[in-house]
Coordinates of all heavy atoms in Angstrom, one line a residue:
M177 N -3.7 17.9 -12.8 CA -4.8 17.3 -12.1 C -4.4 17.1 -10.7 O -3.3 16.6 -10.3 CB -5.1 15.9 -12.8 CG -6.1 15.1 -12.0 SD -6.4 13.6 -12.8 CE -7.8 14.1 -13.8
A178 N -5.3 17.5 -9.8 CA -5.0 17.4 -8.4 C -5.0 16.0 -7.9 O -5.9 15.2 -8.4 CB -6.0 18.2 -7.6
G179 N -4.1 15.6 -7.1 CA -4.1 14.2 -6.6 C -3.5 13.2 -7.6 O -3.6 12.0 -7.4
K180 N -2.9 13.7 -8.6 CA -2.3 12.8 -9.6 C -1.1 12.1 -9.1 O -0.2 12.7 -8.5 CB -1.9 13.6 -10.9 CG -1.4 12.7 -12.0 CD -1.1 13.5 -13.2 CE -0.4 12.7 -14.3 NZ 0.0 13.5 -15.4
H181 N -1.1 10.8 -9.2 CA 0.0 10.0 -8.7 C 1.1 9.9 -9.8 O 0.8 9.6 -10.9 CB -0.5 8.6 -8.3 CG 0.5 7.8 -7.5 ND1 1.5 7.1 -8.0 CD2 0.5 7.6 -6.2 CE1 2.2 6.5 -7.1 NE2 1.6 6.8 -5.9
P182 N 2.4 10.1 -9.4 CA 3.5 10.1 -10.4 C 3.6 8.8 -11.2 O 4.1 8.8 -12.3 CB 4.8 10.3 -9.6 CG 4.4 10.5 -8.2 CD 2.9 10.3 -8.1
S183 N 3.2 7.6 -10.6 CA 3.4 6.4 -11.3 C 2.5 6.3 -12.5 O 2.7 5.5 -13.4 CB 3.2 5.2 -10.4 OG 1.9 5.1 -9.9
Y184 N 1.4 7.0 -12.5 CA 0.5 7.0 -13.7 C 1.2 7.5 -14.9 O 0.9 7.0 -16.0 CB -0.8 7.8 -13.4 CG -1.6 7.3 -12.3 CD1 -2.4 8.1 -11.5 CD2 -1.6 5.9 -11.9 CE1 -3.2 7.6 -10.5 CE2 -2.4 5.4 -10.9 CZ -3.2 6.3 -10.2 OH -3.9 5.8 -9.2
D185 N 2.1 8.4 -14.8 CA 2.9 8.9 -15.9 C 3.7 7.7 -16.6 O 3.8 7.6 -17.8 CB 3.8 10.0 -15.6 CG 3.1 11.3 -15.3 OD1 2.0 11.5 -15.8 OD2 3.7 12.2 -14.6
K186 N 4.3 6.9 -15.7 CA 5.1 5.8 -16.2 C 4.2 4.8 -16.9 O 4.7 4.0 -17.8 CB 5.8 5.1 -15.0 CG 6.8 6.0 -14.4 CD 7.4 5.4 -13.2 CE 8.3 6.3 -12.4 NZ 8.8 5.8 -11.2
L187 N 2.9 4.7 -16.6 CA 2.0 3.7 -17.2 C 1.4 4.3 -18.5 O 0.6 3.6 -19.1 CB 0.9 3.3 -16.2 CG 1.4 2.6 -15.0 CD1 0.2 2.5 -14.0 CD2 2.0 1.3 -15.3
N188 N 1.8 5.5 -18.8 CA 1.2 6.2 -20.0 C -0.3 6.2 -20.0 O -0.9 5.8 -21.0 CB 1.7 5.5 -21.3 CG 3.2 5.7 -21.4 OD1 3.8 6.7 -21.1 ND2 3.9 4.7 -21.9
M189 N -0.9 6.5 -18.9 CA -2.3 6.6 -18.8 C -2.9 7.9 -19.3 O -2.3 9.0 -19.0 CB -2.8 6.4 -17.3 CG -2.4 5.0 -16.8 SD -2.7 4.8 -15.1 CE -4.5 4.5 -15.1
S190 N -4.0 7.9 -20.0 CA -4.6 9.1 -20.5 C -5.2 9.8 -19.3 O -5.5 9.2 -18.2 CB -5.7 8.8 -21.5 OG -6.8 8.1 -20.8
P191 N -5.5 11.1 -19.4 CA -6.1 11.9 -18.3 C -7.5 11.3 -17.9 O -7.8 11.2 -16.7 CB -6.3 13.3 -18.9 CG -5.2 13.4 -19.9 CD -5.1 12.0 -20.5
E192 N -8.2 10.8 -18.9 CA -9.5 10.2 -18.6 C -9.3 8.9 -17.7 O -10.1 8.6 -16.8 CB -10.3 9.8 -19.8 CG -10.7 11.1 -20.6 CD -9.6 11.6 -21.5 OE1 -8.6 10.8 -21.9 OE2 -9.6 12.8 -21.9
R193 N -8.3 8.1 -18.1 CA -8.1 6.8 -17.4 C -7.6 7.1 -16.0 O -7.9 6.4 -15.1 CB -7.0 6.0 -18.2 CG -6.7 4.7 -17.6 CD -7.9 3.8 -17.6 NE -7.6 2.6 -16.9 CZ -8.2 2.1 -15.8 NH1 -9.1 2.8 -15.3 NH2 -7.8 1.0 -15.2
I194 N -6.7 8.1 -15.9 CA -6.2 8.5 -14.5 C -7.4 8.9 -13.6 O -7.5 8.5 -12.5 CB -5.2 9.6 -14.7 CG1 -3.9 9.1 -15.3 CG2 -4.9 10.2 -13.3 CD1 -2.9 10.2 -15.7
K195 N -8.3 9.7 -14.2 CA -9.5 10.1 -13.4 C -10.3 8.9 -12.9 O -10.7 8.8 -11.8 CB -10.3 11.1 -14.2 CG -11.5 11.6 -13.5 CD -12.3 12.6 -14.3 CE -13.4 13.2 -13.5 NZ -14.2 14.1 -14.3
K196 N -10.5 8.0 -13.9 CA -11.3 6.8 -13.5 C -10.6 5.9 -12.5 O -11.2 5.4 -11.5 CB -11.5 6.0 -14.8 CG -12.5 4.8 -14.6 CD -12.8 4.2 -16.0 CE -13.8 3.0 -15.8 NZ -14.1 2.4 -17.0
K197 N -9.2 5.8 -12.6 CA -8.4 5.0 -11.7 C -8.5 5.7 -10.3 O -8.6 5.0 -9.3 CB -7.0 5.0 -12.2 CG -6.0 4.3 -11.2 CD -6.2 2.8 -11.1 CE -5.0 2.3 -10.3 NZ -5.5 1.2 -9.4
L198 N -8.4 7.0 -10.2 CA -8.4 7.7 -8.9 C -9.8 7.5 -8.2 O -9.8 7.3 -7.0 CB -8.1 9.2 -9.1 CG -6.7 9.5 -9.4 CD1 -6.5 11.0 -9.7 CD2 -5.7 9.1 -8.3
E199 N -10.8 7.5 -9.0 CA -12.2 7.3 -8.5 C -12.3 5.9 -7.9 O -12.8 5.7 -6.8 CB -13.2 7.5 -9.5 CG -13.4 9.0 -9.9 CD -14.3 9.2 -11.1 OE1 -14.9 8.2 -11.6 OE2 -14.4 10.4 -11.5
Y200 N -11.8 4.9 -8.7 CA -11.8 3.5 -8.2 C -11.0 3.4 -6.9 O -11.5 2.7 -6.0 CB -11.3 2.6 -9.3 CG -11.0 1.2 -8.8 CD1 -12.1 0.3 -8.6 CD2 -9.7 0.8 -8.4 CE1 -11.8 -1.0 -8.1 CE2 -9.5 -0.5 -7.9 CZ -10.5 -1.3 -7.7 OH -10.3 -2.6 -7.2
D201 N -9.8 3.9 -6.9 CA -8.9 3.8 -5.7 C -9.6 4.4 -4.5 O -9.5 3.8 -3.4 CB -7.6 4.4 -6.0 CG -6.7 3.7 -6.9 OD1 -7.0 2.5 -7.2 OD2 -5.7 4.2 -7.4
K202 N -10.2 5.5 -4.7 CA -10.9 6.2 -3.6 C -12.0 5.3 -3.0 O -12.1 5.1 -1.8 CB -11.5 7.5 -4.0 CG -12.1 8.3 -2.9 CD -12.6 9.6 -3.5 CE -13.2 10.5 -2.3 NZ -13.7 11.8 -2.8
E203 N -12.8 4.7 -3.9 CA -13.8 3.8 -3.4 C -13.2 2.5 -2.7 O -13.7 2.1 -1.7 CB -14.7 3.3 -4.6 CG -15.7 4.4 -5.1 CD -16.5 3.9 -6.2 OE1 -16.8 2.7 -6.3 OE2 -16.9 4.8 -7.0
Y204 N -12.2 2.0 -3.3 CA -11.6 0.7 -2.8 C -11.0 1.0 -1.5 O -11.2 0.2 -0.5 CB -10.5 0.3 -3.8 CG -9.7 -0.9 -3.3 CD1 -10.3 -2.2 -3.3 CD2 -8.4 -0.8 -2.9 CE1 -9.6 -3.3 -2.9 CE2 -7.7 -1.9 -2.5 CZ -8.3 -3.1 -2.5 OH -7.6 -4.2 -2.0
Q205 N -10.3 2.1 -1.3 CA -9.7 2.3 0.0 C -10.7 2.7 1.1 O -10.4 2.6 2.3 CB -8.6 3.5 -0.1 CG -7.4 3.1 -0.9 CD -6.6 1.9 -0.3 OE1 -6.6 1.6 0.9 NE2 -5.9 1.3 -1.2
A206 N -11.9 3.0 0.7 CA -12.9 3.4 1.7 C -13.7 2.1 2.2 O -14.6 2.3 3.1 CB -13.9 4.4 1.1
T207 N -13.4 0.9 1.6 CA -14.2 -0.2 2.1 C -13.7 -0.6 3.5 O -12.6 -0.3 3.9 CB -13.9 -1.4 1.1 OG1 -12.5 -1.8 1.2 CG2 -14.3 -1.1 -0.3
E208 N -14.6 -1.3 4.2 CA -14.3 -1.8 5.5 C -13.1 -2.7 5.6 O -12.3 -2.6 6.5 CB -15.6 -2.5 6.1 CG -16.7 -1.5 6.5 CD -16.3 -0.5 7.5 OE1 -15.6 -0.8 8.5 OE2 -16.6 0.7 7.3
K209 N -13.0 -3.5 4.6 CA -11.8 -4.4 4.6 C -10.5 -3.7 4.5 O -9.6 -4.0 5.3 CB -11.9 -5.4 3.3 CG -10.9 -6.4 3.3 CD -11.1 -7.3 2.1 CE -10.0 -8.4 2.0 NZ -10.2 -9.2 0.8
R210 N -10.4 -2.6 3.7 CA -9.2 -1.9 3.6 C -8.9 -1.0 4.9 O -7.8 -0.9 5.3 CB -9.2 -1.0 2.4 CG -9.2 -1.7 1.1 CD -8.0 -2.7 1.0 NE -6.7 -2.1 1.0 CZ -5.6 -2.7 1.0 NH1 -5.5 -4.0 1.0 NH2 -4.5 -2.1 1.0
K211 N -10.0 -0.5 5.4 CA -9.9 0.3 6.7 C -9.4 -0.6 7.8 O -8.5 -0.2 8.5 CB -11.3 0.9 7.1 CG -11.7 2.0 6.2 CD -13.1 2.5 6.7 CE -13.6 3.5 5.7 NZ -15.0 4.0 6.1
N212 N -9.9 -1.8 7.9 CA -9.5 -2.7 9.0 C -8.0 -3.2 8.7 O -7.3 -3.3 9.7 CB -10.4 -4.0 9.0 CG -11.8 -3.6 9.5 OD1 -12.0 -2.6 10.2 ND2 -12.8 -4.4 9.1
Y213 N -7.6 -3.3 7.5 CA -6.3 -3.7 7.2 C -5.3 -2.6 7.6 O -4.3 -2.8 8.3 CB -6.2 -3.8 5.6 CG -4.8 -4.1 5.1 CD1 -4.2 -5.4 5.2 CD2 -4.0 -3.1 4.6 CE1 -3.0 -5.7 4.7 CE2 -2.8 -3.4 4.1 CZ -2.2 -4.6 4.1 OH -1.0 -4.9 3.6
R214 N -5.7 -1.3 7.4 CA -4.8 -0.2 7.8 C -4.8 -0.1 9.3 O -3.7 0.2 9.9 CB -5.3 1.1 7.2 CG -5.0 1.2 5.7 CD -5.2 2.6 5.1 NE -6.5 3.2 5.4 CZ -7.6 3.0 4.6 NH1 -7.5 2.2 3.5 NH2 -8.7 3.6 4.9
V215 N -5.9 -0.3 10.0 CA -6.0 -0.3 11.4 C -5.0 -1.3 12.0 O -4.3 -1.1 12.9 CB -7.4 -0.5 11.9 CG1 -7.5 -0.8 13.4 CG2 -8.3 0.7 11.6
E216 N -5.1 -2.5 11.4 CA -4.2 -3.6 11.9 C -2.7 -3.2 11.8 O -1.9 -3.4 12.7 CB -4.5 -4.9 11.1 CG -3.5 -6.0 11.4 CD -3.6 -7.2 10.4 OE1 -4.5 -7.1 9.5 OE2 -2.9 -8.1 10.5
L217 N -2.3 -2.7 10.6 CA -0.9 -2.3 10.4 C -0.5 -1.1 11.3 O 0.6 -1.2 11.9 CB -0.7 -1.9 9.0 CG -0.7 -3.1 8.0 CD1 -0.5 -2.5 6.6 CD2 0.2 -4.2 8.3
N218 N -1.4 -0.2 11.5 CA -1.1 1.0 12.4 C -0.9 0.5 13.8 O 0.0 1.0 14.5 CB -2.1 2.1 12.2 CG -2.0 2.8 10.9 OD1 -1.0 2.8 10.3 ND2 -3.1 3.4 10.5
K219 N -1.8 -0.4 14.2 CA -1.7 -0.9 15.6 C -0.4 -1.7 15.8 O 0.3 -1.5 16.8 CB -2.9 -1.8 15.9 CG -3.0 -2.3 17.3 CD -4.2 -3.2 17.4 CE -4.3 -3.8 18.8 NZ -5.5 -4.6 19.0
A220 N 0.0 -2.5 14.8 CA 1.2 -3.2 14.9 C 2.4 -2.3 15.0 O 3.4 -2.5 15.7 CB 1.3 -4.2 13.8
N221 N 2.4 -1.3 14.1 CA 3.5 -0.3 14.1 C 3.6 0.4 15.5 O 4.7 0.6 15.9 CB 3.3 0.7 13.0 CG 3.9 0.3 11.7 OD1 4.8 -0.4 11.6 ND2 3.2 0.7 10.6
R222 N 2.5 0.8 16.1 CA 2.6 1.5 17.4 C 3.1 0.5 18.4 O 4.0 0.9 19.2 CB 1.2 1.9 17.8 CG 0.7 3.2 17.1 CD -0.5 3.7 17.7 NE -1.2 4.6 16.7 CZ -2.2 4.2 15.9 NH1 -2.6 3.0 15.9 NH2 -2.7 5.1 15.0
Q223 N 2.7 -0.7 18.4 CA 3.1 -1.7 19.4 C 4.6 -2.0 19.2 O 5.3 -2.2 20.2 CB 2.3 -3.0 19.3 CG 0.9 -2.9 19.8 CD 0.1 -4.1 19.6 OE1 0.5 -5.0 18.8 NE2 -1.1 -4.2 20.3
A224 N 5.1 -2.0 18.0 CA 6.5 -2.3 17.7 C 7.4 -1.0 18.0 O 8.6 -1.1 17.9 CB 6.7 -2.8 16.3
G225 N 6.8 0.1 18.2 CA 7.5 1.3 18.4 C 8.1 1.9 17.1 O 9.0 2.7 17.2
T226 N 7.5 1.6 16.0 CA 8.1 2.1 14.7 C 7.2 3.2 14.1 O 7.5 3.8 13.1 CB 8.3 1.0 13.7 OG1 7.0 0.5 13.3 CG2 9.2 -0.1 14.2
Y227 N 6.0 3.5 14.8 CA 5.0 4.4 14.2 C 5.5 5.8 14.3 O 5.5 6.4 15.4 CB 3.7 4.2 14.8 CG 2.5 4.8 14.2 CD1 2.0 4.2 13.0 CD2 2.0 6.0 14.6 CE1 0.9 4.8 12.4 CE2 1.0 6.6 14.0 CZ 0.4 6.0 12.9 OH -0.6 6.6 12.2
G228 N 5.8 6.5 13.2 CA 6.0 7.9 13.1 C 7.3 8.4 13.7 O 7.4 9.6 14.0
N229 N 8.2 7.5 14.0 CA 9.5 8.0 14.6 C 10.6 8.2 13.6 O 11.7 8.5 13.9 CB 9.9 7.0 15.7 CG 10.3 5.6 15.2 OD1 10.2 5.4 14.0 ND2 10.7 4.8 16.1
G230 N 10.3 7.9 12.3 CA 11.3 8.2 11.2 C 12.4 7.3 11.2 O 13.5 7.6 10.6
D231 N 12.3 6.0 11.7 CA 13.4 5.1 11.7 C 13.5 4.3 10.4 O 14.4 3.5 10.2 CB 13.3 4.1 12.9 CG 12.1 3.3 12.9 OD1 11.2 3.4 12.0 OD2 11.9 2.4 13.8
G232 N 12.5 4.4 9.5 CA 12.6 3.7 8.2 C 12.2 2.3 8.3 O 12.4 1.5 7.4
I233 N 11.5 1.9 9.4 CA 11.1 0.5 9.7 C 9.6 0.5 9.7 O 8.9 1.4 10.3 CB 11.6 0.0 11.0 CG1 13.1 0.0 11.1 CG2 11.1 -1.4 11.3 CD1 13.8 -0.9 10.1
D234 N 9.0 -0.5 9.1 CA 7.5 -0.7 9.2 C 7.2 -2.2 9.3 O 8.2 -3.0 9.3 CB 6.7 0.0 8.2 CG 6.9 -0.5 6.8 OD1 7.7 -1.5 6.6 OD2 6.3 0.0 5.8
M235 N 6.0 -2.5 9.4 CA 5.6 -3.9 9.6 C 5.3 -4.5 8.3 O 4.6 -3.9 7.4 CB 4.4 -4.0 10.6 CG 4.7 -3.4 11.9 SD 6.1 -4.1 12.8 CE 5.5 -5.7 13.2
S236 N 5.8 -5.8 8.1 CA 5.6 -6.5 6.8 C 4.9 -7.8 7.0 O 5.1 -8.5 8.0 CB 7.0 -6.8 6.2 OG 6.9 -7.6 5.1
H237 N 3.9 -8.1 6.1 CA 3.2 -9.4 6.2 C 4.1 -10.5 5.7 O 4.9 -10.3 4.8 CB 2.0 -9.4 5.3 CG 0.9 -8.6 5.9 ND1 0.7 -7.2 5.6 CD2 -0.1 -8.9 6.8 CE1 -0.4 -6.8 6.3 NE2 -0.9 -7.8 7.0
T238 N 4.1 -11.6 6.4 CA 4.8 -12.8 5.9 C 3.8 -13.8 5.3 O 2.6 -13.6 5.3 CB 5.4 -13.6 7.1 OG1 4.4 -14.0 8.0 CG2 6.4 -12.6 7.9
K239 N 4.4 -14.8 4.6 CA 3.5 -15.8 4.0 C 2.6 -16.5 5.0 O 1.5 -17.0 4.7 CB 4.4 -16.9 3.3 CG 5.1 -16.3 2.1 CD 5.9 -17.3 1.4 CE 6.6 -16.7 0.2 NZ 7.5 -17.7 -0.5
K240 N 3.0 -16.6 6.2 CA 2.3 -17.3 7.3 C 1.2 -16.4 7.8 O 0.3 -16.9 8.6 CB 3.2 -17.7 8.4 CG 4.2 -18.8 8.0 CD 5.1 -19.1 9.2 CE 6.1 -20.2 8.8 NZ 7.0 -20.5 9.9
G241 N 1.2 -15.1 7.4 CA 0.2 -14.2 7.9 C 0.5 -13.4 9.1 O -0.2 -12.5 9.5
S242 N 1.7 -13.6 9.6 CA 2.2 -12.8 10.7 C 2.8 -11.5 10.3 O 3.0 -11.3 9.1 CB 3.2 -13.6 11.6 OG 4.3 -13.8 10.8
L243 N 3.1 -10.6 11.2 CA 3.7 -9.3 10.9 C 5.1 -9.3 11.5 O 5.3 -9.7 12.6 CB 2.9 -8.2 11.5 CG 1.6 -7.9 10.8 CD1 0.8 -6.9 11.6 CD2 1.7 -7.4 9.4
V244 N 6.1 -8.8 10.7 CA 7.5 -8.7 11.2 C 8.0 -7.3 10.9 O 7.5 -6.6 9.9 CB 8.4 -9.8 10.6 CG1 8.0 -11.1 11.0 CG2 8.4 -9.6 9.1
R245 N 9.0 -6.8 11.6 CA 9.6 -5.6 11.4 C 10.5 -5.7 10.1 O 11.2 -6.7 10.0 CB 10.5 -5.1 12.6 CG 9.7 -4.8 13.8 CD 10.6 -4.5 15.0 NE 11.6 -3.6 14.7 CZ 11.7 -2.4 15.2 NH1 10.8 -2.0 16.0 NH2 12.7 -1.6 14.9
E246 N 10.4 -4.7 9.3 CA 11.3 -4.8 8.0 C 11.5 -3.4 7.6 O 10.8 -2.4 7.8 CB 10.5 -5.6 7.0 CG 11.4 -5.7 5.7 CD 10.7 -6.5 4.6 OE1 9.4 -6.7 4.7 OE2 11.3 -6.9 3.7
N247 N 12.6 -3.2 6.8 CA 13.0 -1.9 6.2 C 11.8 -1.5 5.3 O 11.3 -2.3 4.5 CB 14.3 -2.1 5.4 CG 14.7 -0.8 4.8 OD1 14.0 -0.4 3.8 ND2 15.8 -0.2 5.2
M248 N 11.4 -0.3 5.5 CA 10.3 0.3 4.8 C 10.5 0.2 3.3 O 9.6 -0.2 2.5 CB 10.1 1.7 5.2 CG 8.8 2.4 4.7 SD 8.7 4.1 5.3 CE 8.6 3.9 7.1
K249 N 11.7 0.5 2.8 CA 11.9 0.5 1.4 C 11.8 -0.9 0.8 O 11.2 -1.1 -0.3 CB 13.3 1.1 1.1 CG 13.6 1.3 -0.3 CD 15.0 2.0 -0.5 CE 15.3 2.2 -2.0 NZ 16.5 2.9 -2.2
S250 N 12.3 -1.9 1.4 CA 12.3 -3.2 1.0 C 10.8 -3.8 1.0 O 10.4 -4.4 0.0 CB 13.1 -4.2 1.8 OG 14.4 -3.8 1.9
N251 N 10.1 -3.4 2.0 CA 8.7 -3.9 2.2 C 7.8 -3.3 1.1 O 7.1 -4.0 0.4 CB 8.2 -3.5 3.5 CG 6.8 -4.0 3.8 OD1 6.4 -5.1 3.3 ND2 6.1 -3.3 4.6
R252 N 7.9 -2.0 0.8 CA 7.0 -1.4 -0.1 C 7.4 -1.6 -1.5 O 6.6 -1.4 -2.4 CB 6.9 0.1 0.2 CG 6.3 0.3 1.6 CD 6.2 1.7 2.0 NE 5.8 1.8 3.4 CZ 5.3 2.9 4.0 NH1 5.3 4.0 3.3 NH2 4.9 2.9 5.2
A253 N 8.6 -2.0 -1.8 CA 9.1 -2.2 -3.2 C 8.8 -3.7 -3.6 O 8.9 -4.0 -4.8 CB 10.6 -2.0 -3.3
R254 N 8.4 -4.5 -2.7 CA 8.3 -5.9 -3.0 C 7.3 -6.3 -4.1 O 7.5 -7.2 -4.9 CB 8.0 -6.7 -1.7 CG 7.9 -8.2 -2.0 CD 7.8 -9.0 -0.7 NE 9.1 -8.8 0.1 CZ 9.1 -8.2 1.2 NH1 8.0 -7.7 1.8 NH2 10.2 -8.1 1.9
N255 N 6.2 -5.6 -4.2 CA 5.2 -6.0 -5.2 C 5.7 -5.8 -6.6 O 5.2 -6.5 -7.5 CB 3.9 -5.2 -5.0 CG 3.1 -5.8 -3.8 OD1 3.2 -7.0 -3.5 ND2 2.4 -4.9 -3.1
G256 N 6.6 -4.9 -6.8 CA 7.2 -4.8 -8.1 C 6.4 -4.5 -9.3 O 5.2 -4.2 -9.1
H257 N 6.9 -4.6 -10.5 CA 6.2 -4.2 -11.7 C 5.2 -5.2 -12.1 O 4.3 -5.0 -12.9 CB 7.2 -3.8 -12.8 CG 7.9 -5.0 -13.3 ND1 9.1 -5.5 -12.6 CD2 7.7 -5.8 -14.3 CE1 9.5 -6.5 -13.3 NE2 8.7 -6.8 -14.3
N258 N 5.4 -6.5 -11.7 CA 4.5 -7.6 -12.2 C 3.4 -7.8 -11.2 O 2.5 -8.7 -11.4 CB 5.3 -8.9 -12.4 CG 5.9 -9.4 -11.1 OD1 5.8 -8.8 -10.0 ND2 6.6 -10.5 -11.2
K259 N 3.3 -7.0 -10.1 CA 2.2 -7.1 -9.1 C 2.1 -8.5 -8.5 O 1.1 -8.8 -7.9 CB 0.9 -6.7 -9.7 CG 0.9 -5.3 -10.3 CD 1.1 -4.2 -9.3 CE 1.0 -2.9 -9.9 NZ 1.9 -1.9 -9.2
K260 N 3.2 -9.3 -8.5 CA 3.1 -10.5 -7.8 C 3.9 -10.4 -6.5 O 5.2 -10.2 -6.6 CB 3.7 -11.6 -8.7 CG 2.9 -11.9 -9.9 CD 3.4 -13.0 -10.7 CE 2.5 -13.3 -11.9 NZ 3.1 -14.3 -12.8
S261 N 3.3 -10.5 -5.4 CA 3.9 -10.3 -4.1 C 4.9 -11.4 -3.9 O 4.7 -12.6 -4.2 CB 2.9 -10.3 -3.0 OG 3.5 -10.2 -1.8
T262 N 6.0 -11.1 -3.2 CA 7.0 -12.0 -2.8 C 7.2 -11.8 -1.3 O 8.2 -11.4 -0.8 CB 8.3 -11.8 -3.5 OG1 8.8 -10.5 -3.3 CG2 8.2 -12.1 -5.0
K263 N 6.1 -12.1 -0.6 CA 6.2 -11.9 0.9 C 7.3 -12.7 1.5 O 7.7 -13.8 1.0 CB 4.8 -12.4 1.5 CG 3.7 -11.5 1.2 CD 2.4 -11.9 1.9 CE 1.3 -11.0 1.5 NZ 0.0 -11.5 2.1
K264 N 7.8 -12.2 2.6 CA 8.9 -12.9 3.3 C 8.4 -14.3 3.8 O 7.3 -14.5 4.2 CB 9.3 -12.1 4.5 CG 10.2 -10.9 4.1 CD 10.6 -10.2 5.4 CE 12.1 -10.3 5.5 NZ 12.6 -9.6 6.7

């Protein structure tokens, strides 16, 4: 299936469920709220000088709502398997 995400295999999702999930994700990411969220992060990355330079750093949200520089791997792994965020 084109566009299949590797983590769906780990969740033992059926092909029908994967298709439904991909459709939902596409709609969700197209909302104005998600677009504005990505715009905010991309703008912060550009201002911090971390955008597209391959340094492995990106911007992370804190509990206070601010953005800080953080290792990309640590930031993106934080949500974990239980989907409970542990923001800095």
Side-chain angles (χ1 to χ4, degrees):
M177 172 180 272
K180 183 176 174 186
H181 194 278
S183 66
Y184 296 151
D185 287 338
K186 295 175 186 174
L187 297 173
N188 296 323
M189 295 174 81
S190 69
E192 296 82 23
R193 180 68 184 115
I194 291 171
K195 185 176 179 182
K196 189 172 182 179
K197 173 74 170 139
L198 289 173
E199 290 171 5
Y200 168 79
D201 287 347
K202 185 176 179 180
E203 287 180 26
Y204 176 70
Q205 292 298 336
T207 63
E208 286 302 314
K209 184 177 179 180
R210 294 307 295 175
K211 287 179 187 177
N212 292 336
Y213 177 81
R214 290 192 303 273
V215 166
E216 175 192 357
L217 290 181
N218 288 336
K219 184 177 179 182
N221 273 328
R222 283 191 200 95
Q223 289 174 345
T226 65
Y227 191 80
N229 64 1
D231 63 356
I233 302 292
D234 64 0
M235 302 305 287
S236 171
H237 286 93
T238 64
K239 289 179 182 177
K240 295 179 182 179
S242 63
L243 292 169
V244 296
R245 292 172 52 108
E246 184 179 14
N247 180 290
M248 191 180 297
K249 187 174 181 178
S250 301
N251 183 29
R252 296 179 185 192
R254 182 169 295 114
N255 283 331
H257 67 279
N258 63 1
K259 302 296 182 213
K260 293 183 180 176
S261 177
T262 55
K263 291 182 181 178
K264 282 182 120 180

